[in-house]
Amino acid sequence: MEDEYLAQLKNITFGYNEKLICNSININIKKGQITAIMGPSGCGKTTVLHLITGFNKTNEGSVIVFDQKIEQLNRDQLFQLRHNMGMLFQSAVLFLDLNVFDNIAFPLRELNLLPESIIDDIVLMKLEAVGLRGAKDFAIQNLSGGMKRRVALAQAIARDPALLLLDEPFAGQDPVTTGVLTHLIKLINKTLQTTIVLVSHTIQNTFEIANYIYLISEGKIMGEGSPQELINSRDPWVEQFIKGLPDGPIHLRYPAIAFAQELNV
Ligand SMILES: Nc1ncnc2c1ncn2[C@@H]1O[C@H](COP(=O)(O)OP(=O)(O)O)[C@@H](O)[C@H]1O
Ligand SMILES: [Mg+2]
């Protein structure tokens, strides 16, 4: 049943110039679920998110989001489509000259549709959701890294997006903050029924909350399944990735040489 998906990448082949990043990739994003995309650094995770938003246009295959083919949309239609997407990108920056409240209000005011009294209610609700209601008047530069990430998350869900794209939300965060963010992402998914695509390196937290996980490398899907299915997998690549083992089919060094062997030289 196709309509159980909010987004689909069908047979996507995409590269920057000659460099192939996706080689006939299929990814299905189920409604109401958290789908995680994992893989070594530089494997193309951010690229996949940019294919979903239409920042990247596929060379082959089709990207379908909200029943529309991304590659067939013009600029205005893409903007319209993105109104229904929340994004938290790696390079996400908050407006330093606006306080916490105004940062979250920004995407709502941009719509030019809502009276300030409604915006006020929505912003406080989102701040409550990320546990920062008490910090609404704070200047951004006075927040810790974890609080900034939570403000960015509140900003990303300000418009109640049907689809929330999170690019490495745990990057650079301490273990406690990572735990808080993990819990928040699951809470948003459960209470607002937001469909989430989670790009992350953090195996433990990602496996804790994702319903389905894709492992990508070298342009291919190396493994996919529920967290339990992947944990039970006897595939050498999947096992090495999940356990973070230095030896196996994933080569960290070029030219390929077993890590242990290299240490013994
Ligand atoms: N705009 C671009 N032009 C050319 N190469 C790019 C561009 N964006 C990313 N790349 C390259 O594509 C590969 C995949 O990048 P990316 O999707 O950012 O990986 P990941 O998010 O998994 O770390 C990397 O080798 C990166 O250097
Ligand atoms: Mg990335």
Side-chain angles (χ1 to χ4, degrees), residues 46 90 167-168:
T46 300
Q90 272 168 301
D167 199 353
E168 313 227 15

Side-chain angles (χ1 to χ4, degrees), residues 172-190:
Q173 303 297 327
D174 63 63
V176 174
T177 305
T178 298
V180 169
L181 289 169
T182 306
H183 176 73
L184 270 179
I185 292 166
K186 191 70 194 173
L187 201 69
I188 289 167
N189 166 248
K190 274 197 174 158

Side-chain angles (χ1 to χ4, degrees), residues 109-128:
R109 289 179 176 145
E110 210 183 17
L111 288 176
N112 247 332
L113 290 171
L114 303 168
E116 269 310 300
S117 60
I118 304 270
I119 289 181
D120 207 74
D121 287 346
I122 298 174
V123 172
L124 291 180
M125 214 167 75
K126 302 303 168 184
L127 278 172
E128 179 75 37

Side-chain angles (χ1 to χ4, degrees), residues 1-9 26-37 52 64-66 162-165 186 189 193-198 209-214 224-226 229:
M1 277 262 297
E2 299 258 326
D3 60 19
E4 62 181 313
Y5 302 122
L6 204 65
Q8 284 185 291
L9 280 74
N26 286 294
I27 290 178
N28 295 317
I29 310 296
K30 264 196 186 170
K31 276 182 193 161
Q33 291 205 341
I34 299 180
T35 305
I37 298 175
I52 296 173
I64 301 164
V65 183
F66 309 141
L163 181 61
L164 181 61
L165 307 174
K186 191 70 194 173
N189 166 248
Q193 255 120 55
T194 312
T195 305
I196 297 177
V197 182
L198 170 64
I209 58 170
N211 300 98
Y212 202 85
I213 299 163
Y214 289 92
E224 64 177 279
S226 67
E229 281 166 350

Side-chain angles (χ1 to χ4, degrees), residues 4-5 12 27 53-54 59 61-62 71 92 100 105 158 210 247:
E4 62 181 313
Y5 302 122
I12 292 300
I27 290 178
T53 60
N59 303 113
S62 203
E71 60 276 7
V100 168
D247 278 332

